mmCIF file of all heavy atoms in Angstrom:
data_model
loop_
_atom_site.group_PDB
_atom_site.id
_atom_site.type_symbol
_atom_site.label_atom_id
_atom_site.label_comp_id
_atom_site.label_asym_id
_atom_site.label_seq_id
_atom_site.Cartn_x
_atom_site.Cartn_y
_atom_site.Cartn_z
ATOM 1 N N MET A 1719 -19.157 5.095 -14.170
ATOM 2 C CA MET A 1719 -18.378 4.757 -13.011
ATOM 3 C C MET A 1719 -16.881 4.547 -13.661
ATOM 4 O O MET A 1719 -16.793 4.133 -14.690
ATOM 5 C CB MET A 1719 -18.747 3.443 -12.394
ATOM 6 C CG MET A 1719 -20.155 3.446 -11.881
ATOM 7 S SD MET A 1719 -20.303 4.385 -10.315
ATOM 8 C CE MET A 1719 -19.181 3.310 -9.273
ATOM 9 N N ALA A 1720 -15.956 5.146 -12.926
ATOM 10 C CA ALA A 1720 -14.453 4.956 -13.169
ATOM 11 C C ALA A 1720 -14.041 3.710 -12.504
ATOM 12 O O ALA A 1720 -14.336 3.283 -11.458
ATOM 13 C CB ALA A 1720 -13.771 6.127 -12.655
ATOM 14 N N LEU A 1721 -13.212 2.868 -13.196
ATOM 15 C CA LEU A 1721 -12.691 1.622 -12.726
ATOM 16 C C LEU A 1721 -11.297 1.858 -11.928
ATOM 17 O O LEU A 1721 -10.684 2.866 -12.326
ATOM 18 C CB LEU A 1721 -12.263 0.671 -13.812
ATOM 19 C CG LEU A 1721 -13.511 0.182 -14.742
ATOM 20 C CD1 LEU A 1721 -12.933 -0.757 -15.818
ATOM 21 C CD2 LEU A 1721 -14.428 -0.561 -13.835
ATOM 22 N N PHE A 1722 -11.309 1.086 -10.890
ATOM 23 C CA PHE A 1722 -10.192 1.245 -9.987
ATOM 24 C C PHE A 1722 -8.887 1.132 -10.735
ATOM 25 O O PHE A 1722 -8.628 0.307 -11.575
ATOM 26 C CB PHE A 1722 -10.235 0.055 -8.978
ATOM 27 C CG PHE A 1722 -8.967 -0.070 -7.988
ATOM 28 C CD1 PHE A 1722 -8.730 0.848 -7.078
ATOM 29 C CD2 PHE A 1722 -8.138 -1.049 -8.232
ATOM 30 C CE1 PHE A 1722 -7.691 0.823 -6.311
ATOM 31 C CE2 PHE A 1722 -6.967 -1.115 -7.569
ATOM 32 C CZ PHE A 1722 -6.757 -0.124 -6.556
ATOM 33 N N GLY A 1723 -8.000 2.032 -10.255
ATOM 34 C CA GLY A 1723 -6.528 1.810 -10.710
ATOM 35 C C GLY A 1723 -6.301 2.382 -12.066
ATOM 36 O O GLY A 1723 -5.202 2.309 -12.697
ATOM 37 N N GLU A 1724 -7.292 2.964 -12.780
ATOM 38 C CA GLU A 1724 -7.074 3.478 -14.096
ATOM 39 C C GLU A 1724 -6.806 4.937 -14.167
ATOM 40 O O GLU A 1724 -7.473 5.774 -13.448
ATOM 41 C CB GLU A 1724 -8.294 3.192 -15.112
ATOM 42 C CG GLU A 1724 -8.592 1.696 -15.262
ATOM 43 C CD GLU A 1724 -7.476 1.064 -16.297
ATOM 44 O OE1 GLU A 1724 -7.108 1.804 -17.145
ATOM 45 O OE2 GLU A 1724 -6.905 0.063 -16.034
ATOM 46 N N ASN A 1725 -6.014 5.401 -15.083
ATOM 47 C CA ASN A 1725 -5.705 6.753 -15.372
ATOM 48 C C ASN A 1725 -6.387 7.136 -16.623
ATOM 49 O O ASN A 1725 -6.112 6.401 -17.660
ATOM 50 C CB ASN A 1725 -4.280 7.117 -15.231
ATOM 51 C CG ASN A 1725 -3.615 6.980 -13.914
ATOM 52 O OD1 ASN A 1725 -4.321 7.273 -12.917
ATOM 53 N ND2 ASN A 1725 -2.510 6.412 -13.903
ATOM 54 N N TYR A 1726 -7.171 8.251 -16.748
ATOM 55 C CA TYR A 1726 -7.921 8.457 -17.916
ATOM 56 C C TYR A 1726 -7.407 9.817 -18.441
ATOM 57 O O TYR A 1726 -7.000 10.777 -17.830
ATOM 58 C CB TYR A 1726 -9.422 8.664 -17.633
ATOM 59 C CG TYR A 1726 -10.011 7.341 -17.084
ATOM 60 C CD1 TYR A 1726 -10.168 7.254 -15.693
ATOM 61 C CD2 TYR A 1726 -10.372 6.419 -17.850
ATOM 62 C CE1 TYR A 1726 -10.774 6.188 -15.168
ATOM 63 C CE2 TYR A 1726 -10.933 5.348 -17.266
ATOM 64 C CZ TYR A 1726 -11.102 5.086 -15.993
ATOM 65 O OH TYR A 1726 -11.724 4.005 -15.429
ATOM 66 N N GLY A 1727 -7.458 9.763 -19.999
ATOM 67 C CA GLY A 1727 -7.133 11.109 -20.550
ATOM 68 C C GLY A 1727 -8.350 11.968 -20.776
ATOM 69 O O GLY A 1727 -9.345 11.697 -20.114
ATOM 70 N N ASP A 1728 -8.299 12.943 -21.700
ATOM 71 C CA ASP A 1728 -9.363 13.758 -21.825
ATOM 72 C C ASP A 1728 -10.497 12.956 -22.563
ATOM 73 O O ASP A 1728 -11.724 13.407 -22.569
ATOM 74 C CB ASP A 1728 -9.004 14.997 -22.745
ATOM 75 C CG ASP A 1728 -8.116 15.845 -21.975
ATOM 76 O OD1 ASP A 1728 -8.107 15.962 -20.692
ATOM 77 O OD2 ASP A 1728 -7.254 16.634 -22.548
ATOM 78 N N ARG A 1729 -10.195 12.124 -23.515
ATOM 79 C CA ARG A 1729 -11.236 11.208 -24.207
ATOM 80 C C ARG A 1729 -11.241 9.831 -23.478
ATOM 81 O O ARG A 1729 -10.224 9.284 -23.238
ATOM 82 C CB ARG A 1729 -10.850 11.032 -25.660
ATOM 83 C CG ARG A 1729 -10.789 12.442 -26.394
ATOM 84 C CD ARG A 1729 -12.178 12.982 -26.639
ATOM 85 N NE ARG A 1729 -12.983 12.199 -27.414
ATOM 86 C CZ ARG A 1729 -14.289 12.477 -27.652
ATOM 87 N NH1 ARG A 1729 -14.781 13.562 -27.138
ATOM 88 N NH2 ARG A 1729 -15.006 11.691 -28.480
ATOM 89 N N VAL A 1730 -12.299 9.385 -23.199
ATOM 90 C CA VAL A 1730 -12.569 8.103 -22.554
ATOM 91 C C VAL A 1730 -13.508 7.306 -23.328
ATOM 92 O O VAL A 1730 -14.447 7.659 -24.044
ATOM 93 C CB VAL A 1730 -13.073 8.256 -21.142
ATOM 94 C CG1 VAL A 1730 -12.076 9.025 -20.228
ATOM 95 C CG2 VAL A 1730 -14.433 9.130 -21.048
ATOM 96 N N ARG A 1731 -13.488 5.936 -23.141
ATOM 97 C CA ARG A 1731 -14.400 4.999 -23.604
ATOM 98 C C ARG A 1731 -15.435 4.638 -22.661
ATOM 99 O O ARG A 1731 -15.017 4.142 -21.479
ATOM 100 C CB ARG A 1731 -13.610 3.647 -24.231
ATOM 101 C CG ARG A 1731 -14.530 2.694 -25.000
ATOM 102 C CD ARG A 1731 -13.525 1.625 -25.609
ATOM 103 N NE ARG A 1731 -14.275 0.652 -26.328
ATOM 104 C CZ ARG A 1731 -14.527 -0.465 -25.728
ATOM 105 N NH1 ARG A 1731 -14.176 -0.888 -24.541
ATOM 106 N NH2 ARG A 1731 -15.124 -1.399 -26.498
ATOM 107 N N VAL A 1732 -16.636 4.651 -22.882
ATOM 108 C CA VAL A 1732 -17.817 4.269 -22.100
ATOM 109 C C VAL A 1732 -18.387 2.979 -22.557
ATOM 110 O O VAL A 1732 -18.682 2.820 -23.723
ATOM 111 C CB VAL A 1732 -18.826 5.401 -21.982
ATOM 112 C CG1 VAL A 1732 -19.904 4.928 -21.149
ATOM 113 C CG2 VAL A 1732 -18.180 6.704 -21.531
ATOM 114 N N VAL A 1733 -18.620 2.003 -21.635
ATOM 115 C CA VAL A 1733 -19.224 0.830 -21.903
ATOM 116 C C VAL A 1733 -20.689 0.776 -21.105
ATOM 117 O O VAL A 1733 -20.676 0.898 -19.924
ATOM 118 C CB VAL A 1733 -18.596 -0.396 -21.476
ATOM 119 C CG1 VAL A 1733 -19.315 -1.609 -21.687
ATOM 120 C CG2 VAL A 1733 -17.234 -0.457 -22.133
ATOM 121 N N GLU A 1734 -21.764 0.919 -21.843
ATOM 122 C CA GLU A 1734 -23.105 1.080 -21.366
ATOM 123 C C GLU A 1734 -23.889 -0.287 -21.649
ATOM 124 O O GLU A 1734 -23.970 -0.774 -22.768
ATOM 125 C CB GLU A 1734 -23.847 2.251 -22.160
ATOM 126 C CG GLU A 1734 -25.205 2.426 -21.653
ATOM 127 C CD GLU A 1734 -25.930 3.464 -22.451
ATOM 128 O OE1 GLU A 1734 -26.145 3.223 -23.631
ATOM 129 O OE2 GLU A 1734 -26.173 4.524 -21.980
ATOM 130 N N ILE A 1735 -24.425 -0.893 -20.643
ATOM 131 C CA ILE A 1735 -25.131 -2.198 -20.649
ATOM 132 C C ILE A 1735 -26.570 -1.933 -20.170
ATOM 133 O O ILE A 1735 -26.782 -1.665 -18.869
ATOM 134 C CB ILE A 1735 -24.451 -3.287 -19.852
ATOM 135 C CG1 ILE A 1735 -23.033 -3.539 -20.262
ATOM 136 C CG2 ILE A 1735 -25.286 -4.508 -20.068
ATOM 137 C CD1 ILE A 1735 -22.305 -4.548 -19.500
ATOM 138 N N GLY A 1736 -27.545 -1.971 -21.055
ATOM 139 C CA GLY A 1736 -28.893 -1.728 -20.599
ATOM 140 C C GLY A 1736 -29.168 -0.393 -20.126
ATOM 141 O O GLY A 1736 -29.866 -0.142 -19.115
ATOM 142 N N GLY A 1737 -28.702 0.638 -20.720
ATOM 143 C CA GLY A 1737 -28.879 2.133 -20.256
ATOM 144 C C GLY A 1737 -28.359 2.353 -18.956
ATOM 145 O O GLY A 1737 -27.280 2.182 -18.702
ATOM 146 N N PRO A 1738 -29.406 2.617 -18.003
ATOM 147 C CA PRO A 1738 -28.917 3.019 -16.654
ATOM 148 C C PRO A 1738 -28.445 1.938 -15.935
ATOM 149 O O PRO A 1738 -27.833 2.098 -14.841
ATOM 150 C CB PRO A 1738 -30.167 3.710 -16.068
ATOM 151 C CG PRO A 1738 -31.299 2.979 -16.726
ATOM 152 C CD PRO A 1738 -30.808 2.768 -18.221
ATOM 153 N N PHE A 1739 -28.576 0.568 -16.322
ATOM 154 C CA PHE A 1739 -28.253 -0.475 -15.530
ATOM 155 C C PHE A 1739 -26.746 -0.507 -15.095
ATOM 156 O O PHE A 1739 -26.246 -0.681 -14.025
ATOM 157 C CB PHE A 1739 -28.589 -1.933 -16.106
ATOM 158 C CG PHE A 1739 -28.192 -3.103 -15.213
ATOM 159 C CD1 PHE A 1739 -29.043 -3.424 -14.285
ATOM 160 C CD2 PHE A 1739 -27.057 -3.786 -15.535
ATOM 161 C CE1 PHE A 1739 -28.743 -4.458 -13.457
ATOM 162 C CE2 PHE A 1739 -26.846 -4.893 -14.774
ATOM 163 C CZ PHE A 1739 -27.637 -5.228 -13.710
ATOM 164 N N SER A 1740 -25.987 -0.329 -16.131
ATOM 165 C CA SER A 1740 -24.456 -0.220 -15.915
ATOM 166 C C SER A 1740 -23.869 0.654 -16.982
ATOM 167 O O SER A 1740 -24.105 0.546 -18.204
ATOM 168 C CB SER A 1740 -23.854 -1.593 -16.072
ATOM 169 O OG SER A 1740 -22.410 -1.566 -16.089
ATOM 170 N N MET A 1741 -23.088 1.664 -16.491
ATOM 171 C CA MET A 1741 -22.324 2.551 -17.375
ATOM 172 C C MET A 1741 -20.990 2.894 -16.741
ATOM 173 O O MET A 1741 -20.855 3.295 -15.647
ATOM 174 C CB MET A 1741 -23.140 3.932 -17.509
ATOM 175 C CG MET A 1741 -22.504 4.974 -18.483
ATOM 176 S SD MET A 1741 -23.366 6.524 -18.694
ATOM 177 C CE MET A 1741 -24.882 5.780 -19.370
ATOM 178 N N GLU A 1742 -19.943 2.304 -17.295
ATOM 179 C CA GLU A 1742 -18.653 2.489 -16.797
ATOM 180 C C GLU A 1742 -17.597 2.941 -17.885
ATOM 181 O O GLU A 1742 -17.730 2.645 -18.983
ATOM 182 C CB GLU A 1742 -18.137 1.089 -16.125
ATOM 183 C CG GLU A 1742 -19.151 0.710 -15.074
ATOM 184 C CD GLU A 1742 -18.487 -0.627 -14.466
ATOM 185 O OE1 GLU A 1742 -17.175 -0.843 -14.528
ATOM 186 O OE2 GLU A 1742 -19.325 -1.299 -13.840
ATOM 187 N N LEU A 1743 -16.569 3.630 -17.268
ATOM 188 C CA LEU A 1743 -15.455 3.943 -18.146
ATOM 189 C C LEU A 1743 -14.581 2.567 -18.196
ATOM 190 O O LEU A 1743 -14.159 2.121 -17.277
ATOM 191 C CB LEU A 1743 -14.640 5.063 -17.625
ATOM 192 C CG LEU A 1743 -15.237 6.375 -17.260
ATOM 193 C CD1 LEU A 1743 -14.282 7.277 -16.806
ATOM 194 C CD2 LEU A 1743 -16.143 6.855 -18.437
ATOM 195 N N CYS A 1744 -14.324 2.150 -19.539
ATOM 196 C CA CYS A 1744 -13.565 0.942 -19.524
ATOM 197 C C CYS A 1744 -12.998 0.776 -21.009
ATOM 198 O O CYS A 1744 -13.598 1.032 -22.029
ATOM 199 C CB CYS A 1744 -14.670 -0.247 -19.424
ATOM 200 S SG CYS A 1744 -13.862 -1.862 -19.587
ATOM 201 N N GLY A 1745 -11.657 0.291 -21.029
ATOM 202 C CA GLY A 1745 -11.070 0.065 -22.272
ATOM 203 C C GLY A 1745 -10.928 -1.527 -22.698
ATOM 204 O O GLY A 1745 -10.164 -1.723 -23.494
ATOM 205 N N GLY A 1746 -11.868 -2.279 -21.998
ATOM 206 C CA GLY A 1746 -11.694 -3.715 -22.315
ATOM 207 C C GLY A 1746 -12.695 -4.133 -23.497
ATOM 208 O O GLY A 1746 -13.404 -3.445 -24.064
ATOM 209 N N THR A 1747 -12.645 -5.421 -23.627
ATOM 210 C CA THR A 1747 -13.512 -5.998 -24.722
ATOM 211 C C THR A 1747 -14.747 -6.628 -24.007
ATOM 212 O O THR A 1747 -14.679 -7.095 -22.923
ATOM 213 C CB THR A 1747 -12.754 -7.096 -25.552
ATOM 214 O OG1 THR A 1747 -12.279 -8.146 -24.589
ATOM 215 C CG2 THR A 1747 -11.494 -6.562 -26.129
ATOM 216 N N HIS A 1748 -15.856 -6.522 -24.728
ATOM 217 C CA HIS A 1748 -17.171 -7.013 -24.071
ATOM 218 C C HIS A 1748 -18.076 -7.806 -25.188
ATOM 219 O O HIS A 1748 -17.776 -7.741 -26.401
ATOM 220 C CB HIS A 1748 -17.956 -5.777 -23.788
ATOM 221 C CG HIS A 1748 -17.326 -5.123 -22.560
ATOM 222 N ND1 HIS A 1748 -17.657 -5.472 -21.190
ATOM 223 C CD2 HIS A 1748 -16.354 -4.199 -22.365
ATOM 224 C CE1 HIS A 1748 -16.954 -4.805 -20.345
ATOM 225 N NE2 HIS A 1748 -16.078 -3.972 -21.055
ATOM 226 N N VAL A 1749 -18.971 -8.454 -24.650
ATOM 227 C CA VAL A 1749 -20.000 -9.112 -25.493
ATOM 228 C C VAL A 1749 -20.860 -8.142 -26.175
ATOM 229 O O VAL A 1749 -20.849 -6.964 -25.897
ATOM 230 C CB VAL A 1749 -20.720 -10.022 -24.700
ATOM 231 C CG1 VAL A 1749 -19.910 -11.151 -23.973
ATOM 232 C CG2 VAL A 1749 -21.688 -9.304 -23.515
ATOM 233 N N GLY A 1750 -21.554 -8.626 -27.246
ATOM 234 C CA GLY A 1750 -22.520 -7.764 -27.868
ATOM 235 C C GLY A 1750 -23.861 -7.338 -27.213
ATOM 236 O O GLY A 1750 -24.342 -6.395 -27.398
ATOM 237 N N SER A 1751 -24.275 -8.356 -26.344
ATOM 238 C CA SER A 1751 -25.457 -8.174 -25.682
ATOM 239 C C SER A 1751 -25.299 -9.001 -24.316
ATOM 240 O O SER A 1751 -24.559 -9.968 -24.191
ATOM 241 C CB SER A 1751 -26.713 -8.592 -26.435
ATOM 242 O OG SER A 1751 -26.672 -10.053 -26.572
ATOM 243 N N SER A 1752 -26.025 -8.580 -23.314
ATOM 244 C CA SER A 1752 -25.851 -9.237 -21.895
ATOM 245 C C SER A 1752 -26.194 -10.666 -21.904
ATOM 246 O O SER A 1752 -25.597 -11.408 -21.200
ATOM 247 C CB SER A 1752 -26.649 -8.487 -20.861
ATOM 248 O OG SER A 1752 -28.023 -8.481 -21.233
ATOM 249 N N ALA A 1753 -27.096 -11.193 -22.833
ATOM 250 C CA ALA A 1753 -27.345 -12.542 -22.886
ATOM 251 C C ALA A 1753 -26.218 -13.432 -23.240
ATOM 252 O O ALA A 1753 -26.142 -14.713 -22.909
ATOM 253 C CB ALA A 1753 -28.510 -12.844 -23.899
ATOM 254 N N GLN A 1754 -25.256 -12.851 -23.972
ATOM 255 C CA GLN A 1754 -24.036 -13.564 -24.369
ATOM 256 C C GLN A 1754 -23.102 -13.939 -23.162
ATOM 257 O O GLN A 1754 -22.260 -14.817 -23.287
ATOM 258 C CB GLN A 1754 -23.227 -12.972 -25.450
ATOM 259 C CG GLN A 1754 -23.985 -12.706 -26.683
ATOM 260 C CD GLN A 1754 -23.358 -11.851 -27.805
ATOM 261 O OE1 GLN A 1754 -22.146 -11.507 -27.469
ATOM 262 N NE2 GLN A 1754 -24.059 -11.480 -28.830
ATOM 263 N N VAL A 1755 -23.407 -13.349 -21.971
ATOM 264 C CA VAL A 1755 -22.594 -13.588 -20.861
ATOM 265 C C VAL A 1755 -22.955 -14.969 -20.366
ATOM 266 O O VAL A 1755 -21.976 -15.760 -19.817
ATOM 267 C CB VAL A 1755 -22.885 -12.503 -19.741
ATOM 268 C CG1 VAL A 1755 -22.114 -12.941 -18.410
ATOM 269 C CG2 VAL A 1755 -22.344 -11.104 -20.133
ATOM 270 N N GLY A 1756 -24.101 -15.520 -20.532
ATOM 271 C CA GLY A 1756 -24.569 -16.761 -19.966
ATOM 272 C C GLY A 1756 -24.906 -16.716 -18.569
ATOM 273 O O GLY A 1756 -24.714 -15.628 -17.952
ATOM 274 N N PRO A 1757 -25.261 -17.767 -17.996
ATOM 275 C CA PRO A 1757 -25.529 -17.807 -16.651
ATOM 276 C C PRO A 1757 -24.262 -17.271 -15.671
ATOM 277 O O PRO A 1757 -23.084 -17.657 -16.000
ATOM 278 C CB PRO A 1757 -25.953 -19.229 -16.235
ATOM 279 C CG PRO A 1757 -25.274 -20.020 -17.362
ATOM 280 C CD PRO A 1757 -25.265 -19.104 -18.596
ATOM 281 N N VAL A 1758 -24.472 -16.721 -14.640
ATOM 282 C CA VAL A 1758 -23.599 -16.186 -13.703
ATOM 283 C C VAL A 1758 -23.721 -16.891 -12.373
ATOM 284 O O VAL A 1758 -24.967 -16.799 -11.925
ATOM 285 C CB VAL A 1758 -23.619 -14.684 -13.523
ATOM 286 C CG1 VAL A 1758 -22.564 -14.240 -12.491
ATOM 287 C CG2 VAL A 1758 -23.336 -14.020 -14.957
ATOM 288 N N THR A 1759 -22.882 -17.557 -11.890
ATOM 289 C CA THR A 1759 -22.944 -18.245 -10.580
ATOM 290 C C THR A 1759 -21.981 -17.712 -9.597
ATOM 291 O O THR A 1759 -20.859 -17.879 -9.869
ATOM 292 C CB THR A 1759 -22.811 -19.796 -10.644
ATOM 293 O OG1 THR A 1759 -23.767 -20.252 -11.720
ATOM 294 C CG2 THR A 1759 -23.012 -20.521 -9.362
#
Side-chain angles (χ1 to χ4, degrees):
M1719 299 286 295
L1721 292 181
F1722 170 77
E1724 290 293 319
N1725 293 319
Y1726 300 98
D1728 293 334
R1729 300 290 295 176
V1730 294
R1731 183 170 181 264
V1732 179
V1733 176
E1734 180 187 65
I1735 305 177
F1739 182 79
S1740 171
M1741 184 182 297
E1742 300 187 20
L1743 307 186
C1744 180
T1747 60
H1748 289 271
V1749 297
S1751 67
S1752 61
Q1754 295 173 12
V1755 171
V1758 179
T1759 303

